[in-house]
Amino acid sequence: MTTDQKSPGDVTGVDTDRLSANLARIEELSTRLSRAMADRKGVRQSLQGPGQELYMKAMTAYMSEMMNNPGKMLEHQIQWWGKTLKHAVDAQHALAGVHAPEDETPKDPRFANPLWETHPFYNFMKQQYLFGAEAIEGAIDALEGLDPTDKKRLDYFGKQIVDMLAPTNFLATNPDALEKAIETEGQSLVDGLENLVRDLEANDGELLVRLADEDAFEVGQNIATTPGEVVFRNRMLELIQYTPTTEEVHATPLIIFPPWINKFYIMDLKEKNSLIKWIVDQGFTLFVVSWVNPDPSYADVGMDTYVEEGYLAAIDQVKKITKQKKVNTVGYCIAGTTLSLTLSLMKKRGDKSVSSATFFTTMTDFSDPGEVGVFLDDDFLDGIEAEVTQKGMLDKFFMSRTFSYLRSNDLIYGPAIKSYMLGQTPPAFDLLYWNGDGTNLPGRMTVEYLRGLCQHDRFAKGDFPLMGESLALSDVDVPLCAVACETDHIAAWKASYNGVRQMGSKNKTFILSQSGHIAGIVNPPSKKKYGHYTNADWLDSPEDWQAGATFHEGSWWPRWGEWLAAKSGKMVPARVPGDSGAAPLAPAPGTYVKARPNR
């Protein structure tokens, strides 16, 4: 505390009007907080964390290790005791003013405030926390006798508990929050309480941290503004045709199928980073699907519905509108997985309407699903199945929370500290606004996708049942290009590579972009930010492929644009939405993208 800051008992110069107003706000907010918690619908226990079976396995393995190898376990404990005891002594000396605390712990962005290094109390809290975290992670790593899948899950959820208990997550041990409270005479805490109550009210009493200022954006006004028209609509989708910006376009049209877990405008946030606008500017006739945001009436919609009333319907409409026999396609994430299923089905039926396919961050082989695999065991999936059976859909809350926990310090604890302890307004960040604008998932489709594709990996095994056919990866034989992202925590790039490697196409291109699930795809050439890898050889392992790959500076967009142009035919006069004779139904971005269905 500096000399010009007030001590807790110093009331000199207190702004009594401000204090009274804050007390009134606290009383009002406390009432709203109580009401929000009272109205809480509650989340079934099976969706709150892994089942007890995992912890029982871990305890059994630990006790077995203690019995069979006690020296190893005692050594691990003694190392931790030694570190904590030595530091406790150092901290006592530091508090007595003998010397500054020694600190050899690794740098951690959570502890950026200088007080974590210089103040004996905060340094003691930080070091003891990091010693404990190291001990817990080491104990898990040393466990033997656990199935690899169980050990991976235990490691993940162990780290979640460790991250949750960081001293930065508590007001009494967060110097940034306490300094801000003193500086603002408590105003930051009042503002933080208001932010907390607002987020609870928005999610029926469940806590989901708001990441962006929702008042800063409006879809169709300052994001998702590329001109176009809705040219077809059914209960599953709106089909948007974008207005050309070139006098001529390639004859073969392009359809993008975005994921229906989120909304399509991730590819059209702003003009400077809009993949949609960039594609149009390259001379392609572009159609983009905007999926409906389902409510409980969509309970019986399954993967077959998305294929038949989504993919096949859109392909049929684009062929009619452009008077072409073939189309090019793009599938992003889950939409790429389903595009693969559609192509397999079309192969079985002898339908040759698709000229080429591009897959963005797409998994089709789930034998090793990466980080997200920790949520694919029966304990979670049984809970999801019970949830959708009861309610007809999986509320967007669950998917948003799950993906956030894959990067909990960045997407949960860090934003919570800023919002609730520092009282900051969430930033006006278009990407985070989109991230919070999720969609619900139909009940039947959710179970079919999670059980049949993710958990049982039936497509890669060659026996995924759909619409009377047994579908296999080897059926996907159209020319294809797959783009994966190196640090993707949702669709692991190695799993993506393994899936594409098993596809039956003789004309395959694989591009590995730097960065993650979103930034690696929304990577315009003008930014000159993330590079990419290419390798024409399809080696048995993704590690070998990357080791032999060539790195290229800058975005992969131009490389893909050249690949796509070679498969898109001659140039023809540009097509304008509505010139096919069918009147446009609504201007882009359409109506489905703005809908807020009943829960």
Side-chain angles (χ1 to χ4, degrees):
M1 180 180 292
T2 59
T3 55
D4 60 343
Q5 290 175 330
K6 300 181 181 66
S7 68
D10 183 4
V11 296
T12 306
V14 171
D15 186 338
T16 55
D17 291 339
R18 185 180 188 186
L19 178 61
S20 297
N22 279 339
L23 289 173
R25 282 184 67 196
I26 290 174
E27 183 176 355
E28 175 198 348
L29 290 168
S30 298
T31 301
R32 287 172 54 192
L33 177 63
S34 299
R35 188 183 305 120
M37 297 304 293
D39 293 340
R40 183 183 178 203
K41 296 179 180 179
V43 174
R44 62 184 72 244
Q45 186 60 38
S46 53
L47 294 178
Q48 297 283 31
Q52 291 299 314
E53 183 182 4
L54 176 64
Y55 298 111
M56 290 300 296
K57 289 179 178 178
M59 181 58 69
T60 301
Y62 186 82
M63 294 305 296
S64 175
E65 195 75 11
M66 281 289 292
M67 296 294 291
N68 297 324
N69 196 354
K72 172 183 172 183
M73 304 307 288
L74 284 173
E75 181 183 4
H76 183 82
Q77 290 288 324
I78 291 169
Q79 285 178 349
W80 174 55
W81 293 341
K83 285 183 179 181
T84 56
L85 181 59
K86 179 181 182 300
H87 180 246
V89 173
D90 287 345
Q92 289 290 333
H93 289 161
L95 285 167
V98 177
H99 60 72
E102 295 182 6
D103 189 348
E104 297 180 357
T105 55
K107 296 296 182 182
D108 188 314
R110 292 173 294 179
F111 303 106
N113 190 309
L115 287 176
W116 291 112
E117 303 290 333
T118 61
H119 193 287
F121 170 74
Y122 289 117
N123 186 263
F124 176 76
M125 293 297 298
K126 182 193 80 165
Q127 290 206 50
Q128 291 294 323
Y129 166 74
L130 292 175
F131 291 154
E134 180 185 44
I136 292 171
E137 291 174 8
I140 293 173
D141 185 60
L143 278 180
E144 297 181 6
L146 269 180
D147 177 85
T149 300
D150 289 331
K151 189 166 183 178
K152 185 175 182 179
R153 299 186 82 216
L154 186 66
D155 178 66
Y156 172 81
F157 289 111
K159 287 179 179 176
Q160 289 297 320
I161 294 172
V162 168
D163 287 344
M164 179 180 65
L165 295 176
T168 48
N169 295 338
F170 300 90
L171 178 61
T173 51
N174 187 315
D176 293 303
L178 294 175
E179 286 180 331
K180 188 71 172 180
I182 294 170
E183 176 188 332
T184 63
E185 297 182 312
Q187 184 67 44
S188 59
L189 299 181
V190 177
D191 293 341
L193 179 58
E194 186 161 19
N195 290 341
L196 173 63
V197 171
R198 176 205 61 201
D199 288 352
L200 287 168
E201 290 175 338
N203 293 286
D204 295 327
E206 295 295 332
L207 186 57
L208 189 65
V209 185
R210 191 170 309 203
L211 299 178
D213 181 0
E214 295 182 355
D215 296 328
F217 300 100
E218 184 177 352
V219 176
Q221 295 300 314
N222 57 356
I223 50 176
T225 58
T226 300
E229 299 285 344
V230 175
V231 293
F232 173 74
R233 178 188 295 131
N234 64 17
R235 68 169 180 149
M236 295 302 298
L237 62 84
E238 288 185 330
L239 183 65
I240 302 170
Q241 181 181 357
Y242 284 91
T243 304
T245 58
T246 56
E247 292 185 1
E248 291 187 322
V249 294
H250 291 277
T252 305
L254 176 67
I255 312 172
I256 295 181
F257 295 96
W260 53 88
I261 292 174
N262 293 100
K263 296 181 179 177
F264 79 90
Y265 65 86
I266 184 59
M267 296 176 285
D268 192 29
L269 290 174
K270 293 179 181 177
E271 183 175 338
K272 65 181 181 181
N273 63 354
S274 171
L275 177 58
I276 285 175
K277 185 180 187 306
W278 184 86
I279 290 171
V280 172
D281 289 345
Q282 307 313 302
F284 296 98
T285 301
L286 178 62
F287 295 81
V288 175
V289 165
S290 174
W291 299 104
V292 71
N293 192 352
D295 60 23
S297 69
Y298 282 73
D300 199 43
V301 163
M303 295 296 292
D304 55 349
T305 319
Y306 275 90
V307 169
E308 184 146 31
E309 298 182 39
Y311 289 76
L312 297 179
I315 291 169
D316 183 59
Q317 288 297 319
V318 171
K319 286 166 58 180
K320 289 179 180 177
I321 290 170
T322 61
K323 299 180 176 58
Q324 294 292 309
K325 293 182 179 180
K326 288 180 175 286
V327 302
N328 290 316
T329 56
V330 174
Y332 195 157
C333 192
I334 186 177
T337 308
T338 313
L339 175 59
S340 301
L341 294 174
T342 305
L343 293 171
S344 175
L345 179 69
M346 296 173 77
K347 169 73 171 179
K348 301 282 190 184
R349 293 179 171 181
D351 186 340
K352 299 182 179 180
S353 298
V354 173
S355 177
S356 75
T358 298
F359 302 107
F360 294 163
T361 64
T362 293
M363 289 176 60
T364 50
D365 180 342
F366 291 86
S367 56
D368 182 7
E371 292 180 59
V372 77
V374 299
F375 296 104
L376 296 177
D377 270 38
D378 280 337
D379 46 10
F380 279 110
L381 297 195
D382 287 349
I384 289 174
E385 192 162 358
E387 178 78 10
V388 300
T389 298
Q390 177 186 350
K391 298 183 178 178
M393 67 178 195
L394 187 67
D395 192 279
K396 64 180 183 180
F397 166 82
F398 294 103
M399 295 304 295
S400 178
R401 187 177 67 170
T402 298
F403 288 144
S404 292
Y405 270 109
L406 293 175
R407 292 172 56 199
S408 57
N409 284 323
D410 294 331
L411 297 178
I412 297 178
Y413 302 123
I417 290 168
K418 292 177 182 178
S419 185
Y420 307 149
M421 293 191 198
L422 302 179
Q424 296 178 3
T425 300
F429 187 7
D430 54 358
L431 177 58
L432 292 179
Y433 174 85
W434 166 85
N435 187 73
D437 190 17
T439 62
N440 306 320
L441 299 179
R444 182 163 69 91
M445 168 263 143
T446 301
V447 175
E448 290 173 347
Y449 177 75
L450 293 176
R451 293 286 193 196
L453 286 167
C454 299
Q455 188 182 50
H456 298 308
D457 200 21
R458 295 189 65 175
F459 190 32
K461 293 176 180 176
D463 66 344
F464 186 81
L466 191 77
M467 300 168 69
E469 300 287 354
S470 184
L471 306 182
L473 272 173
S474 57
D475 296 328
V476 181
D477 61 356
V478 301
L480 62 88
C481 177
V483 183
C485 299
E486 192 172 17
T487 59
D488 195 331
H489 60 288
I490 295 174
W493 82 265
K494 294 177 183 179
S496 177
Y497 176 90
N498 285 331
V500 175
R501 187 172 59 83
Q502 297 172 61
M503 293 180 180
S505 174
K506 296 179 180 179
N507 183 345
K508 293 188 287 191
T509 298
F510 191 82
I511 299 172
L512 179 61
S513 175
Q514 290 184 309
S515 195
H517 193 70
I518 300 302
I521 298 299
V522 184
N523 180 28
S526 59
K527 282 191 174 182
K528 300 179 181 178
K529 194 170 185 181
Y530 301 118
H532 60 281
Y533 300 86
T534 60
N535 186 346
D537 296 327
W538 283 89
L539 304 175
D540 288 342
S541 77
E543 293 84 0
D544 290 342
W545 181 92
Q546 187 177 27
T550 301
F551 178 74
H552 308 273
E553 297 285 349
S555 173
W556 54 268
W557 290 11
R559 183 178 304 278
W560 174 65
E562 292 177 5
W563 180 91
L564 185 63
K567 294 169 176 57
S568 298
K570 63 181 182 179
M571 304 303 289
V572 299
R575 308 175 178 104
V576 178
D579 63 5
S580 64
L585 305 176
T591 61
Y592 281 4
V593 73
K594 300 177 183 179
R596 298 290 186 270
N598 296 326
R599 303 179 68 171

mmCIF file with all atom_site columns, all heavy atoms in Angstrom, residues 167-186:
data_model
loop_
_atom_site.group_PDB
_atom_site.id
_atom_site.type_symbol
_atom_site.label_atom_id
_atom_site.label_alt_id
_atom_site.label_comp_id
_atom_site.label_asym_id
_atom_site.label_entity_id
_atom_site.label_seq_id
_atom_site.pdbx_PDB_ins_code
_atom_site.Cartn_x
_atom_site.Cartn_y
_atom_site.Cartn_z
_atom_site.occupancy
_atom_site.B_iso_or_equiv
_atom_site.pdbx_formal_charge
_atom_site.auth_seq_id
_atom_site.auth_comp_id
_atom_site.auth_asym_id
_atom_site.auth_atom_id
_atom_site.pdbx_PDB_model_num
ATOM 1   N N   . PRO A 1 167 ? -4.381  -19.300 -6.588  1.00 0.00 ? 167 PRO A N   1
ATOM 2   C CA  . PRO A 1 167 ? -4.689  -18.165 -5.711  1.00 0.00 ? 167 PRO A CA  1
ATOM 3   C C   . PRO A 1 167 ? -5.209  -16.940 -6.456  1.00 0.00 ? 167 PRO A C   1
ATOM 4   O O   . PRO A 1 167 ? -5.897  -16.111 -5.870  1.00 0.00 ? 167 PRO A O   1
ATOM 5   C CB  . PRO A 1 167 ? -3.349  -17.876 -5.021  1.00 0.00 ? 167 PRO A CB  1
ATOM 6   C CG  . PRO A 1 167 ? -2.308  -18.537 -5.860  1.00 0.00 ? 167 PRO A CG  1
ATOM 7   C CD  . PRO A 1 167 ? -2.971  -19.715 -6.479  1.00 0.00 ? 167 PRO A CD  1
ATOM 8   N N   . THR A 1 168 ? -4.893  -16.829 -7.729  1.00 0.00 ? 168 THR A N   1
ATOM 9   C CA  . THR A 1 168 ? -5.411  -15.711 -8.517  1.00 0.00 ? 168 THR A CA  1
ATOM 10  C C   . THR A 1 168 ? -6.928  -15.751 -8.654  1.00 0.00 ? 168 THR A C   1
ATOM 11  O O   . THR A 1 168 ? -7.555  -14.726 -8.944  1.00 0.00 ? 168 THR A O   1
ATOM 12  C CB  . THR A 1 168 ? -4.787  -15.734 -9.924  1.00 0.00 ? 168 THR A CB  1
ATOM 13  O OG1 . THR A 1 168 ? -4.883  -17.064 -10.454 1.00 0.00 ? 168 THR A OG1 1
ATOM 14  C CG2 . THR A 1 168 ? -3.334  -15.307 -9.890  1.00 0.00 ? 168 THR A CG2 1
ATOM 15  N N   . ASN A 1 169 ? -7.536  -16.909 -8.435  1.00 0.00 ? 169 ASN A N   1
ATOM 16  C CA  . ASN A 1 169 ? -8.981  -17.050 -8.620  1.00 0.00 ? 169 ASN A CA  1
ATOM 17  C C   . ASN A 1 169 ? -9.783  -16.657 -7.390  1.00 0.00 ? 169 ASN A C   1
ATOM 18  O O   . ASN A 1 169 ? -11.012 -16.776 -7.399  1.00 0.00 ? 169 ASN A O   1
ATOM 19  C CB  . ASN A 1 169 ? -9.326  -18.500 -8.993  1.00 0.00 ? 169 ASN A CB  1
ATOM 20  C CG  . ASN A 1 169 ? -8.764  -18.902 -10.341 1.00 0.00 ? 169 ASN A CG  1
ATOM 21  O OD1 . ASN A 1 169 ? -8.469  -18.040 -11.180 1.00 0.00 ? 169 ASN A OD1 1
ATOM 22  N ND2 . ASN A 1 169 ? -8.589  -20.192 -10.572 1.00 0.00 ? 169 ASN A ND2 1
ATOM 23  N N   . PHE A 1 170 ? -9.110  -16.185 -6.346  1.00 0.00 ? 170 PHE A N   1
ATOM 24  C CA  . PHE A 1 170 ? -9.794  -15.827 -5.110  1.00 0.00 ? 170 PHE A CA  1
ATOM 25  C C   . PHE A 1 170 ? -9.475  -14.377 -4.748  1.00 0.00 ? 170 PHE A C   1
ATOM 26  O O   . PHE A 1 170 ? -8.311  -13.957 -4.802  1.00 0.00 ? 170 PHE A O   1
ATOM 27  C CB  . PHE A 1 170 ? -9.383  -16.772 -3.978  1.00 0.00 ? 170 PHE A CB  1
ATOM 28  C CG  . PHE A 1 170 ? -9.708  -18.215 -4.268  1.00 0.00 ? 170 PHE A CG  1
ATOM 29  C CD1 . PHE A 1 170 ? -8.779  -19.030 -4.905  1.00 0.00 ? 170 PHE A CD1 1
ATOM 30  C CD2 . PHE A 1 170 ? -10.944 -18.745 -3.954  1.00 0.00 ? 170 PHE A CD2 1
ATOM 31  C CE1 . PHE A 1 170 ? -9.065  -20.357 -5.193  1.00 0.00 ? 170 PHE A CE1 1
ATOM 32  C CE2 . PHE A 1 170 ? -11.244 -20.071 -4.236  1.00 0.00 ? 170 PHE A CE2 1
ATOM 33  C CZ  . PHE A 1 170 ? -10.313 -20.878 -4.864  1.00 0.00 ? 170 PHE A CZ  1
ATOM 34  N N   . LEU A 1 171 ? -10.477 -13.639 -4.356  1.00 0.00 ? 171 LEU A N   1
ATOM 35  C CA  . LEU A 1 171 ? -10.317 -12.213 -4.098  1.00 0.00 ? 171 LEU A CA  1
ATOM 36  C C   . LEU A 1 171 ? -9.258  -11.939 -3.029  1.00 0.00 ? 171 LEU A C   1
ATOM 37  O O   . LEU A 1 171 ? -8.418  -11.054 -3.190  1.00 0.00 ? 171 LEU A O   1
ATOM 38  C CB  . LEU A 1 171 ? -11.659 -11.612 -3.671  1.00 0.00 ? 171 LEU A CB  1
ATOM 39  C CG  . LEU A 1 171 ? -11.649 -10.124 -3.304  1.00 0.00 ? 171 LEU A CG  1
ATOM 40  C CD1 . LEU A 1 171 ? -11.220 -9.281  -4.502  1.00 0.00 ? 171 LEU A CD1 1
ATOM 41  C CD2 . LEU A 1 171 ? -13.025 -9.694  -2.799  1.00 0.00 ? 171 LEU A CD2 1
ATOM 42  N N   . ALA A 1 172 ? -9.281  -12.707 -1.951  1.00 0.00 ? 172 ALA A N   1
ATOM 43  C CA  . ALA A 1 172 ? -8.371  -12.438 -0.836  1.00 0.00 ? 172 ALA A CA  1
ATOM 44  C C   . ALA A 1 172 ? -6.914  -12.660 -1.192  1.00 0.00 ? 172 ALA A C   1
ATOM 45  O O   . ALA A 1 172 ? -6.019  -12.143 -0.501  1.00 0.00 ? 172 ALA A O   1
ATOM 46  C CB  . ALA A 1 172 ? -8.749  -13.310 0.364   1.00 0.00 ? 172 ALA A CB  1
ATOM 47  N N   . THR A 1 173 ? -6.644  -13.411 -2.243  1.00 0.00 ? 173 THR A N   1
ATOM 48  C CA  . THR A 1 173 ? -5.258  -13.698 -2.627  1.00 0.00 ? 173 THR A CA  1
ATOM 49  C C   . THR A 1 173 ? -4.960  -13.255 -4.056  1.00 0.00 ? 173 THR A C   1
ATOM 50  O O   . THR A 1 173 ? -4.103  -13.822 -4.722  1.00 0.00 ? 173 THR A O   1
ATOM 51  C CB  . THR A 1 173 ? -4.959  -15.208 -2.467  1.00 0.00 ? 173 THR A CB  1
ATOM 52  O OG1 . THR A 1 173 ? -5.968  -15.970 -3.149  1.00 0.00 ? 173 THR A OG1 1
ATOM 53  C CG2 . THR A 1 173 ? -4.946  -15.593 -1.004  1.00 0.00 ? 173 THR A CG2 1
ATOM 54  N N   . ASN A 1 174 ? -5.667  -12.248 -4.518  1.00 0.00 ? 174 ASN A N   1
ATOM 55  C CA  . ASN A 1 174 ? -5.401  -11.695 -5.848  1.00 0.00 ? 174 ASN A CA  1
ATOM 56  C C   . ASN A 1 174 ? -5.007  -10.229 -5.694  1.00 0.00 ? 174 ASN A C   1
ATOM 57  O O   . ASN A 1 174 ? -5.870  -9.374  -5.477  1.00 0.00 ? 174 ASN A O   1
ATOM 58  C CB  . ASN A 1 174 ? -6.633  -11.829 -6.748  1.00 0.00 ? 174 ASN A CB  1
ATOM 59  C CG  . ASN A 1 174 ? -6.339  -11.414 -8.184  1.00 0.00 ? 174 ASN A CG  1
ATOM 60  O OD1 . ASN A 1 174 ? -5.716  -10.393 -8.429  1.00 0.00 ? 174 ASN A OD1 1
ATOM 61  N ND2 . ASN A 1 174 ? -6.796  -12.216 -9.129  1.00 0.00 ? 174 ASN A ND2 1
ATOM 62  N N   . PRO A 1 175 ? -3.717  -9.904  -5.776  1.00 0.00 ? 175 PRO A N   1
ATOM 63  C CA  . PRO A 1 175 ? -3.297  -8.515  -5.554  1.00 0.00 ? 175 PRO A CA  1
ATOM 64  C C   . PRO A 1 175 ? -3.858  -7.542  -6.580  1.00 0.00 ? 175 PRO A C   1
ATOM 65  O O   . PRO A 1 175 ? -4.112  -6.378  -6.250  1.00 0.00 ? 175 PRO A O   1
ATOM 66  C CB  . PRO A 1 175 ? -1.768  -8.595  -5.633  1.00 0.00 ? 175 PRO A CB  1
ATOM 67  C CG  . PRO A 1 175 ? -1.480  -9.841  -6.413  1.00 0.00 ? 175 PRO A CG  1
ATOM 68  C CD  . PRO A 1 175 ? -2.577  -10.791 -6.066  1.00 0.00 ? 175 PRO A CD  1
ATOM 69  N N   . ASP A 1 176 ? -4.059  -7.989  -7.823  1.00 0.00 ? 176 ASP A N   1
ATOM 70  C CA  . ASP A 1 176 ? -4.642  -7.092  -8.833  1.00 0.00 ? 176 ASP A CA  1
ATOM 71  C C   . ASP A 1 176 ? -6.027  -6.633  -8.396  1.00 0.00 ? 176 ASP A C   1
ATOM 72  O O   . ASP A 1 176 ? -6.375  -5.449  -8.489  1.00 0.00 ? 176 ASP A O   1
ATOM 73  C CB  . ASP A 1 176 ? -4.739  -7.804  -10.183 1.00 0.00 ? 176 ASP A CB  1
ATOM 74  C CG  . ASP A 1 176 ? -3.386  -8.105  -10.787 1.00 0.00 ? 176 ASP A CG  1
ATOM 75  O OD1 . ASP A 1 176 ? -2.608  -7.157  -10.971 1.00 0.00 ? 176 ASP A OD1 1
ATOM 76  O OD2 . ASP A 1 176 ? -3.109  -9.275  -11.076 1.00 0.00 ? 176 ASP A OD2 1
ATOM 77  N N   . ALA A 1 177 ? -6.835  -7.580  -7.922  1.00 0.00 ? 177 ALA A N   1
ATOM 78  C CA  . ALA A 1 177 ? -8.203  -7.249  -7.523  1.00 0.00 ? 177 ALA A CA  1
ATOM 79  C C   . ALA A 1 177 ? -8.220  -6.354  -6.293  1.00 0.00 ? 177 ALA A C   1
ATOM 80  O O   . ALA A 1 177 ? -9.009  -5.403  -6.212  1.00 0.00 ? 177 ALA A O   1
ATOM 81  C CB  . ALA A 1 177 ? -8.987  -8.534  -7.268  1.00 0.00 ? 177 ALA A CB  1
ATOM 82  N N   . LEU A 1 178 ? -7.355  -6.644  -5.323  1.00 0.00 ? 178 LEU A N   1
ATOM 83  C CA  . LEU A 1 178 ? -7.328  -5.835  -4.104  1.00 0.00 ? 178 LEU A CA  1
ATOM 84  C C   . LEU A 1 178 ? -6.817  -4.425  -4.384  1.00 0.00 ? 178 LEU A C   1
ATOM 85  O O   . LEU A 1 178 ? -7.347  -3.438  -3.857  1.00 0.00 ? 178 LEU A O   1
ATOM 86  C CB  . LEU A 1 178 ? -6.468  -6.522  -3.049  1.00 0.00 ? 178 LEU A CB  1
ATOM 87  C CG  . LEU A 1 178 ? -7.026  -7.857  -2.526  1.00 0.00 ? 178 LEU A CG  1
ATOM 88  C CD1 . LEU A 1 178 ? -6.034  -8.512  -1.571  1.00 0.00 ? 178 LEU A CD1 1
ATOM 89  C CD2 . LEU A 1 178 ? -8.369  -7.653  -1.846  1.00 0.00 ? 178 LEU A CD2 1
ATOM 90  N N   . GLU A 1 179 ? -5.802  -4.310  -5.211  1.00 0.00 ? 179 GLU A N   1
ATOM 91  C CA  . GLU A 1 179 ? -5.301  -2.977  -5.585  1.00 0.00 ? 179 GLU A CA  1
ATOM 92  C C   . GLU A 1 179 ? -6.380  -2.173  -6.300  1.00 0.00 ? 179 GLU A C   1
ATOM 93  O O   . GLU A 1 179 ? -6.553  -0.974  -6.053  1.00 0.00 ? 179 GLU A O   1
ATOM 94  C CB  . GLU A 1 179 ? -4.066  -3.118  -6.475  1.00 0.00 ? 179 GLU A CB  1
ATOM 95  C CG  . GLU A 1 179 ? -2.810  -3.540  -5.741  1.00 0.00 ? 179 GLU A CG  1
ATOM 96  C CD  . GLU A 1 179 ? -1.612  -3.671  -6.668  1.00 0.00 ? 179 GLU A CD  1
ATOM 97  O OE1 . GLU A 1 179 ? -1.793  -3.981  -7.849  1.00 0.00 ? 179 GLU A OE1 1
ATOM 98  O OE2 . GLU A 1 179 ? -0.489  -3.441  -6.196  1.00 0.00 ? 179 GLU A OE2 1
ATOM 99  N N   . LYS A 1 180 ? -7.111  -2.851  -7.201  1.00 0.00 ? 180 LYS A N   1
ATOM 100 C CA  . LYS A 1 180 ? -8.176  -2.161  -7.939  1.00 0.00 ? 180 LYS A CA  1
ATOM 101 C C   . LYS A 1 180 ? -9.290  -1.731  -6.992  1.00 0.00 ? 180 LYS A C   1
ATOM 102 O O   . LYS A 1 180 ? -9.839  -0.631  -7.138  1.00 0.00 ? 180 LYS A O   1
ATOM 103 C CB  . LYS A 1 180 ? -8.734  -3.098  -9.013  1.00 0.00 ? 180 LYS A CB  1
ATOM 104 C CG  . LYS A 1 180 ? -9.716  -2.443  -9.974  1.00 0.00 ? 180 LYS A CG  1
ATOM 105 C CD  . LYS A 1 180 ? -9.032  -1.476  -10.906 1.00 0.00 ? 180 LYS A CD  1
ATOM 106 C CE  . LYS A 1 180 ? -9.975  -0.974  -11.983 1.00 0.00 ? 180 LYS A CE  1
ATOM 107 N NZ  . LYS A 1 180 ? -9.318  -0.025  -12.904 1.00 0.00 ? 180 LYS A NZ  1
ATOM 108 N N   . ALA A 1 181 ? -9.613  -2.570  -6.015  1.00 0.00 ? 181 ALA A N   1
ATOM 109 C CA  . ALA A 1 181 ? -10.674 -2.231  -5.064  1.00 0.00 ? 181 ALA A CA  1
ATOM 110 C C   . ALA A 1 181 ? -10.286 -1.003  -4.245  1.00 0.00 ? 181 ALA A C   1
ATOM 111 O O   . ALA A 1 181 ? -11.106 -0.105  -4.009  1.00 0.00 ? 181 ALA A O   1
ATOM 112 C CB  . ALA A 1 181 ? -10.973 -3.415  -4.167  1.00 0.00 ? 181 ALA A CB  1
ATOM 113 N N   . ILE A 1 182 ? -9.028  -0.945  -3.806  1.00 0.00 ? 182 ILE A N   1
ATOM 114 C CA  . ILE A 1 182 ? -8.565  0.209   -3.035  1.00 0.00 ? 182 ILE A CA  1
ATOM 115 C C   . ILE A 1 182 ? -8.549  1.459   -3.901  1.00 0.00 ? 182 ILE A C   1
ATOM 116 O O   . ILE A 1 182 ? -8.993  2.536   -3.494  1.00 0.00 ? 182 ILE A O   1
ATOM 117 C CB  . ILE A 1 182 ? -7.162  -0.075  -2.457  1.00 0.00 ? 182 ILE A CB  1
ATOM 118 C CG1 . ILE A 1 182 ? -7.239  -1.201  -1.422  1.00 0.00 ? 182 ILE A CG1 1
ATOM 119 C CG2 . ILE A 1 182 ? -6.562  1.180   -1.853  1.00 0.00 ? 182 ILE A CG2 1
ATOM 120 C CD1 . ILE A 1 182 ? -5.884  -1.708  -0.970  1.00 0.00 ? 182 ILE A CD1 1
ATOM 121 N N   . GLU A 1 183 ? -8.051  1.309   -5.122  1.00 0.00 ? 183 GLU A N   1
ATOM 122 C CA  . GLU A 1 183 ? -7.948  2.447   -6.045  1.00 0.00 ? 183 GLU A CA  1
ATOM 123 C C   . GLU A 1 183 ? -9.316  3.047   -6.359  1.00 0.00 ? 183 GLU A C   1
ATOM 124 O O   . GLU A 1 183 ? -9.462  4.264   -6.492  1.00 0.00 ? 183 GLU A O   1
ATOM 125 C CB  . GLU A 1 183 ? -7.272  1.968   -7.334  1.00 0.00 ? 183 GLU A CB  1
ATOM 126 C CG  . GLU A 1 183 ? -7.167  3.015   -8.432  1.00 0.00 ? 183 GLU A CG  1
ATOM 127 C CD  . GLU A 1 183 ? -6.671  2.409   -9.734  1.00 0.00 ? 183 GLU A CD  1
ATOM 128 O OE1 . GLU A 1 183 ? -5.942  1.405   -9.694  1.00 0.00 ? 183 GLU A OE1 1
ATOM 129 O OE2 . GLU A 1 183 ? -7.043  2.948   -10.808 1.00 0.00 ? 183 GLU A OE2 1
ATOM 130 N N   . THR A 1 184 ? -10.331 2.202   -6.471  1.00 0.00 ? 184 THR A N   1
ATOM 131 C CA  . THR A 1 184 ? -11.674 2.673   -6.864  1.00 0.00 ? 184 THR A CA  1
ATOM 132 C C   . THR A 1 184 ? -12.627 2.794   -5.681  1.00 0.00 ? 184 THR A C   1
ATOM 133 O O   . THR A 1 184 ? -13.821 2.985   -5.873  1.00 0.00 ? 184 THR A O   1
ATOM 134 C CB  . THR A 1 184 ? -12.291 1.710   -7.891  1.00 0.00 ? 184 THR A CB  1
ATOM 135 O OG1 . THR A 1 184 ? -12.452 0.415   -7.286  1.00 0.00 ? 184 THR A OG1 1
ATOM 136 C CG2 . THR A 1 184 ? -11.427 1.589   -9.135  1.00 0.00 ? 184 THR A CG2 1
ATOM 137 N N   . GLU A 1 185 ? -12.088 2.683   -4.452  1.00 0.00 ? 185 GLU A N   1
ATOM 138 C CA  . GLU A 1 185 ? -12.911 2.744   -3.237  1.00 0.00 ? 185 GLU A CA  1
ATOM 139 C C   . GLU A 1 185 ? -14.036 1.710   -3.269  1.00 0.00 ? 185 GLU A C   1
ATOM 140 O O   . GLU A 1 185 ? -15.161 1.964   -2.851  1.00 0.00 ? 185 GLU A O   1
ATOM 141 C CB  . GLU A 1 185 ? -13.491 4.146   -3.039  1.00 0.00 ? 185 GLU A CB  1
ATOM 142 C CG  . GLU A 1 185 ? -12.424 5.201   -2.824  1.00 0.00 ? 185 GLU A CG  1
ATOM 143 C CD  . GLU A 1 185 ? -13.001 6.577   -2.583  1.00 0.00 ? 185 GLU A CD  1
ATOM 144 O OE1 . GLU A 1 185 ? -13.888 6.996   -3.360  1.00 0.00 ? 185 GLU A OE1 1
ATOM 145 O OE2 . GLU A 1 185 ? -12.568 7.233   -1.619  1.00 0.00 ? 185 GLU A OE2 1
ATOM 146 N N   . GLY A 1 186 ? -13.692 0.509   -3.800  1.00 0.00 ? 186 GLY A N   1
ATOM 147 C CA  . GLY A 1 186 ? -14.660 -0.588  -3.822  1.00 0.00 ? 186 GLY A CA  1
ATOM 148 C C   . GLY A 1 186 ? -15.567 -0.619  -5.028  1.00 0.00 ? 186 GLY A C   1
ATOM 149 O O   . GLY A 1 186 ? -16.341 -1.568  -5.193  1.00 0.00 ? 186 GLY A O   1
#
